[in-house]
Amino acid sequence: MNRISGGGEFQDSVVYTTGRRYTWVTEWLLCHGIPSADVMVNIRNIVNNWQVEPVYQTAPVLTEYPDSPTVFTSVSPHSSAGFHMDRETLGLTTKYWIRFGYAASNSSGVSIGTADVAATAAYGVFGKEVGRGKIVINPGMISGTDTNYFEIGGWTPTVDFSKMMAALVVMNNLSTYMEVQLVCRTAMDPRAPNAWQECEGGTWDTPASGTSVRNTTALSAPVGAAFSTNLLVQFGLAVRKKSGAGGNPMADIYVAVSASYA
């Protein structure tokens, strides 16, 4: 599926230095499952050394803490009137959010540079969020050697599944007493699901005390889940007490899970 944003009225773009001034054409979008994107600008009434470049910005977990904006690869700034379109191949596997726009600046000098700009962004969408939830771990709730499983979202079809990704925020974590891992289970009939399978292999994460964030990166379906022979899949979070921990876990865990499709 392809989507398009922007393409509306012209806006004034004013700059004074060679530093980039960013204008965003889209809101924050689910990054997982966007393989490429186009940004087109229609430029009029250029004054002095004004120029423009297509850009995107990502965030691994929270949009409140984004990465620095990135200029499209191998694109020269545009400084002439008319339509200009640039395409970027993304393939990002460690980011949960993304947005697209353009950056205006002066090619040289410190003086006013202006132009009228109408911008459009188009992008492919081959992913969706399949679960979101909050897990509250109370003192004494998780102890011993048991692994506890918490459902994140409902059942969704396995057909054309490619990769999965989770963004986790852990808050009020008492200490490093806890280990977590993304899991999934499949079913033909959700009333009789198969066993939970580890999505991150043998790697369990130990969240830092206090507050921490983590992106699992894009992960393949575990072999034991048998996606090709089961109609449905559900995702979840496995939580257990860390071996040798001096106390029982206590934390609030926020989880969002997305999936991409071939």
Side-chain angles (χ1 to χ4, degrees), residues 31-249:
C31 183
H32 190 206
I34 299 183
S36 59
D38 296 337
V39 170
M40 183 184 73
V41 291
N42 184 7
I43 309 169
R44 297 179 182 175
N45 305 321
I46 297 173
V47 174
N48 294 329
N49 296 325
W50 186 94
Q51 63 179 8
V52 69
E53 301 164 284
V55 296
Y56 67 88
Q57 186 176 33
T58 56
V61 178
L62 298 172
T63 57
E64 292 88 347
Y65 301 98
D67 302 317
S68 298
T70 300
V71 175
F72 277 24
T73 305
S74 302
V75 171
S76 298
H78 302 296
S79 57
S80 60
F83 288 95
H84 305 272
M85 191 205 82
D86 298 290
R87 178 166 295 169
E88 181 78 345
T89 300
L90 296 167
L92 301 173
T93 60
T94 61
K95 311 298 180 183
Y96 203 83
W97 302 105
I98 193 169
R99 62 179 177 177
F100 299 97
Y102 61 89
S105 64
N106 280 330
S107 59
S108 63
V110 179
S111 62
I112 188 169
T114 68
D116 298 327
V117 183
T120 303
Y123 45 93
V125 179
F126 298 92
K128 65 178 181 179
E129 192 166 273
V130 293
R132 179 180 286 259
K134 176 184 179 182
I135 302 166
V136 178
I137 307 298
N138 292 312
M141 179 176 167
I142 295 178
S143 59
T145 58
D146 292 340
T147 299
N148 296 257
Y149 297 97
F150 300 90
E151 299 174 1
I152 304 295
W155 293 93
T156 188
T158 58
V159 63
D160 290 333
F161 177 89
S162 178
K163 300 279 186 178
M164 68 191 80
M165 177 186 290
L168 298 93
V169 180
V170 180
M171 302 180 67
N172 304 317
N173 193 15
L174 179 62
S175 186
T176 56
Y177 299 153
M178 177 178 66
E179 293 181 324
V180 301
Q181 178 167 177
L182 181 67
V183 293
C184 69
R185 61 180 178 178
T186 53
M188 297 293 280
D189 180 352
R191 295 169 297 183
N194 299 314
W196 289 103
Q197 302 290 320
E198 297 178 358
C199 296
E200 301 180 73
T203 304
W204 287 73
D205 180 68
T206 302
S209 60
T211 299
S212 62
V213 299
R214 181 172 73 96
N215 184 305
T216 64
T217 74
L219 304 168
S220 299
V223 174
F227 274 46
S228 62
T229 56
N230 284 278
L231 180 70
L232 301 169
V233 61
Q234 182 184 42
F235 298 92
L237 190 72
V239 183
R240 69 185 185 186
K241 181 178 178 179
K242 183 179 179 180
S243 177
N248 292 325

